[in-house]
């Protein structure tokens, strides 16, 4: 639909991401379904999940404040990583909001609990951050690359956050854990393949490149100011066209 091209190796990367994520989802543990917002709040304030949330916020701030201004336009993993890490927190808070709405419709009003509004606030903040950086990723990179990478990372981190919060990993057999690990490695392989097929960034248009390579005019008028002295080219002075030395430049005309 967007007339964007994807190489055959890129198609292989997409297939690897989808297959790996499917394996993770099929072998993911069944999570418990809380029956109140207070119960989810107790799960969210566990030390293990608080450590994950703090790590997710720290990584997101590092990517947003340090990596994005420097490498965001060249590395696809920066913007997509921010969306994926924040997205794992979004799903947890959105689930709490959904349960609050469900209980309220059933007649058990959850609006009176401050936990409900805390989850609503977290959901709104995380969704805004996701939309901002996802739009940046789509504006900067090929959509055919952004979509599968974001899908794979978001799914993996969401399952990880859910497993930490609801403790669904306990009681799983070694074969299921091995299958989930293989699925994760398959997703990583697909992401690496997709990242290697990224199209080169063409910042210069043909017209701009032609203007940059055009020959200079035979005569240049300049204005140089240094140590209080002002100098200007005279009409009868000759200036070599192939070499110009400027000690201190203020502006050229």
């Amino acid at each position: 639909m967007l007339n964007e091209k994807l190489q055959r190796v890129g198609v292989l990367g997409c297939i690897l991401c989808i297959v790996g994520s499917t394996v993770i989802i099929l072998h993911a543990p069944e999570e418990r379904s809380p029956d109140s917002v207070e119960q989810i709040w107790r799960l969210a304030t566990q030390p293990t999940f608080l450590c994950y949330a703090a790590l997710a916020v720290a990584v997101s701030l590092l990517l947003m404040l340090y990596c994005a201004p420097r490498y965001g336009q060249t590395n696809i993993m920066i913007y997509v990583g921010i969306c994926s890490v924040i997205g794992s927190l979004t799903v947890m808070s959105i689930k709490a909001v959904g349960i609050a709405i469900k209980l309220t419709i059933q007649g058990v009003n959850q609006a009176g609990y401050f936990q409900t509004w805390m989850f609503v606030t977290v959901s709104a903040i995380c969704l805004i951050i996701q939309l901002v950086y996802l739009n940046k990723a789509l504006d900067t990179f090929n959509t055919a690359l952004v979509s599968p990478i974001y899908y794979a990372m978001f799914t993996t981190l969401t399952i990880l956050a859910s497993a930490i919060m609801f403790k669904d990993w306990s009681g799983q057999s070694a074969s299921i854990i091995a299958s989930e690990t293989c699925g994760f490695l398959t997703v990583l392989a697909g992401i690496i393949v997709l990242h290697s097929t990224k199209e080169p960034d063409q910042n210069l248009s043909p017209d701009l490149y032609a203007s940059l390579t055009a020959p200079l005019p035979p005569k240049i008028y300049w204005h140089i100011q240094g140590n209080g002295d002002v100098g200007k080219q005279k009409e009868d002075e000759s200036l070599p066209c192939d070499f110009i030395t400027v000690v201190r430049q203020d502006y050229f005309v």
Side-chain angles (χ1 to χ4, degrees):
M1 291 176 61
L2 300 177
N3 296 323
E4 295 181 348
K5 297 181 180 180
L6 187 64
Q7 303 175 5
R8 293 183 178 178
V9 180
V11 175
L12 175 61
C14 290
I15 295 175
L16 289 174
C17 289
I18 295 174
V19 171
S21 299
T22 303
V23 171
I24 293 176
I25 293 173
L26 291 178
H27 293 85
E30 294 183 1
E31 61 183 28
R32 295 172 294 177
S33 181
D35 53 4
S36 67
V37 175
E38 290 182 329
Q39 185 177 355
I40 297 184
W41 180 261
R42 288 193 296 268
L43 294 174
T45 53
Q46 298 175 108
T48 52
F49 186 77
L50 288 178
C51 291
Y52 173 81
L55 180 61
V57 172
V59 171
S60 300
L61 291 176
L62 176 65
L63 293 175
M64 288 186 290
L65 300 179
Y66 180 80
C67 297
R70 294 170 174 81
Y71 313 110
Q73 298 296 319
T74 57
N75 194 328
I76 192 174
M77 301 301 293
I78 302 299
Y79 292 150
V80 177
I82 295 172
C83 297
S84 301
V85 175
I86 294 296
S88 64
L89 300 179
T90 304
V91 173
M92 300 299 104
S93 56
I94 285 292
K95 183 171 183 177
V97 175
I99 292 177
I101 295 175
K102 175 184 174 181
L103 294 175
T104 302
I105 293 176
Q106 291 176 353
V108 182
N109 189 6
Q110 300 291 311
Y113 297 98
F114 80 94
Q115 293 94 335
T116 301
W117 300 107
M118 286 290 296
F119 285 123
V120 170
T121 303
V122 172
S123 301
I125 295 174
C126 292
L127 283 173
I128 292 174
I129 294 175
Q130 280 186 264
L131 290 176
V132 169
Y133 284 94
L134 182 59
N135 285 328
K136 288 184 177 182
L138 294 174
D139 290 340
T140 306
F141 302 100
N142 194 324
T143 306
L145 298 179
V146 174
S147 298
I149 294 176
Y150 176 57
Y151 165 76
M153 293 184 64
F154 174 78
T155 303
T156 303
L157 292 176
T158 299
I159 292 177
L160 177 61
S162 178
I164 294 175
M165 182 172 178
F166 296 101
K167 298 185 181 300
D168 296 321
W169 294 90
S170 59
Q172 282 196 313
S173 62
S175 60
I176 294 179
I177 296 177
S179 299
E180 294 171 352
T181 304
C182 291
F184 180 72
L185 294 177
T186 304
V187 171
L188 289 181
I191 292 175
I192 293 173
V193 171
L194 279 173
H195 190 60
S196 64
T197 61
K198 185 181 67 173
E199 296 180 353
D201 189 13
Q202 299 177 354
N203 294 326
L204 296 179
S205 62
D207 296 337
L208 179 59
Y209 180 78
S211 64
L212 291 176
T213 57
L216 293 174
K219 183 173 291 188
I220 299 178
Y221 296 91
W222 77 91
H223 177 95
I224 302 177
Q225 181 176 1
N227 299 326
D229 299 330
V230 178
K232 185 177 181 182
Q233 180 194 11
K234 297 181 181 180
E235 295 290 339
D236 55 350
E237 290 182 351
S238 61
L239 178 67
C241 297
D242 55 347
F243 184 80
I244 302 175
T245 302
V246 178
V247 178
R248 180 177 178 183
Q249 172 185 343
D250 286 344
Y251 61 87
F252 276 93
V253 179

